Amino acid sequence: LLSIGEDALPSYLTTLHLPASLTSLEDNWLFSLEEITVAEGSTSFAVADDVLFSKDMTKLVKMPSQLAYNGDYFEYIVPKTVKEICDGAFERCDFIDSLVLPDGLEVIGNRAVSCYGTGVPYGPETIIIPSSVKSIGSEAFIGVRLVVFTGNAPVIADDAFSSCTKLAYYPSNNATWTSDKRQNYGGDLEWISTNGGVPVSGTMTESINWDFDEATGTLTISGTGIMPGYSYIYLHSDFIPPWHHLANKIKTLVIEDGITEIGYGLFKNY
């Protein structure tokens, strides 16, 4: 067997063993997949930490959609060698609650991080796009609600952020981010300019500000009024905290005088 075409395999497949002869595997919707193995002697594919890669580790091909370490949600750090996340690589991987993309990544394929199954919170809610990324494919980020761009504007498919993305940060001092680049791309995006890099401060409402101290891990909320609530089940909420991309780094929370109410679920699972 040399090649497996797009959607050629049964969707309910739980294990997938690739023969050493296989040289090509296209995107297959495998929402029950628990394990991938590769025969010894393969010159095209390799498995590392349960995830399928090209042999040279420059392409991340597929994570089993039902992979869950100890039955719990987990963070996955894409290896630094990876230049391309292939079509459907993390499709339906609902157990990932944090996905870290490496500097040097160039291509994010179609449906690469599309999580829209029955899991909670439906895969990673925030994505930081490395400055090296040059292209983002169709429906690449279904389920993602906050995206941070740190470099030049990449080529973005018209429906790259279908359905769910809410906030998009971009560097205001970068001339490639012209107004025609700041579109909805199939979602409902609110574009917020930053000074470059990952934002660590901003506004929550017209009267409430937030500031994150990276050295101490302290998130400070200041201003006056009510902090709106937040549901981690994305279909039930039109709001996402603007500091949500820093959730795993917050160690201390300071609510200053003037804040009268903290809304439902705002810091749940932090």
Side-chain angles (χ1 to χ4, degrees):
L1 181 64
L2 298 176
S3 176
I4 298 175
E6 183 175 358
D7 291 334
L9 299 174
S11 297
Y12 288 96
L13 205 66
T14 58
T15 60
L16 177 62
H17 178 73
L18 303 182
S21 58
L22 194 74
T23 59
S24 175
L25 175 64
E26 296 187 32
D27 181 23
N28 280 259
W29 196 43
L30 304 173
F31 54 78
S32 296
L33 192 62
E34 299 174 2
E35 182 183 22
I36 302 174
T37 58
V38 176
E40 185 177 351
S42 173
T43 60
S44 298
F45 298 101
V47 172
D49 295 327
D50 304 307
V51 179
L52 182 67
F53 295 87
S54 60
K55 187 69 172 183
D56 62 3
M57 297 291 290
T58 61
K59 295 182 179 181
L60 193 155
V61 181
K62 196 75 173 178
M63 171 180 278
S65 58
Q66 295 304 307
L67 181 64
Y69 295 113
N70 299 318
D72 204 355
Y73 298 102
F74 62 93
E75 177 181 73
Y76 183 73
I77 300 175
V78 176
K80 294 180 180 180
T81 56
V82 172
K83 302 294 184 184
E84 178 180 352
I85 295 178
C86 296
D87 293 353
F90 294 104
E91 190 170 28
R92 292 295 296 268
C93 291
D94 298 345
F95 283 98
I96 302 176
D97 64 1
S98 176
L99 181 63
V100 181
L101 305 181
D103 293 334
L105 180 67
E106 297 180 356
V107 177
I108 298 173
N110 301 330
R111 300 175 303 283
V113 193
S114 291
C115 299
Y116 43 85
T118 57
V120 176
Y122 297 98
E125 291 188 295
T126 67
I127 292 287
I128 297 175
I129 307 294
S131 59
S132 54
V133 170
K134 298 177 180 178
S135 67
I136 298 175
S138 174
E139 297 185 332
F141 293 114
I142 290 180
V144 171
R145 304 188 63 198
L146 187 155
V147 59
V148 179
F149 290 96
T150 59
N152 290 348
V155 176
I156 305 174
D158 290 342
D159 58 350
F161 300 115
S162 290
S163 304
C164 303
T165 309
K166 303 299 180 184
L167 296 182
Y169 288 105
Y170 73 98
S172 60
N173 57 353
N174 187 312
T176 66
W177 283 102
T178 52
S179 59
D180 62 301
K181 283 290 187 179
R182 304 193 301 273
Q183 304 297 321
N184 280 326
Y185 297 107
D188 183 17
L189 303 187
E190 177 186 353
W191 289 90
I192 302 175
S193 62
T194 71
N195 292 327
V198 178
V200 293
S201 64
T203 60
M204 181 184 189
T205 68
E206 291 183 357
S207 61
I208 297 177
N209 301 313
W210 66 277
D211 183 84
F212 179 69
D213 187 326
E214 295 182 274
T216 64
T218 301
L219 176 66
T220 301
I221 309 297
S222 61
T224 58
I226 297 173
M227 300 176 70
Y230 161 65
S231 172
Y232 59 87
I233 304 177
Y234 67 79
L235 294 177
H236 297 167
S237 178
D238 289 329
F239 170 79
I240 187 168
W243 55 78
H244 204 53
H245 56 290
L246 301 168
N248 290 344
K249 297 181 179 180
I250 297 172
K251 299 178 181 178
T252 303
L253 176 64
V254 177
I255 306 293
E256 295 189 348
D257 291 342
I259 303 300
T260 57
E261 181 179 329
I262 300 174
Y264 169 85
L266 192 56
F267 296 103
K268 187 173 184 178
N269 298 327
Y270 276 35

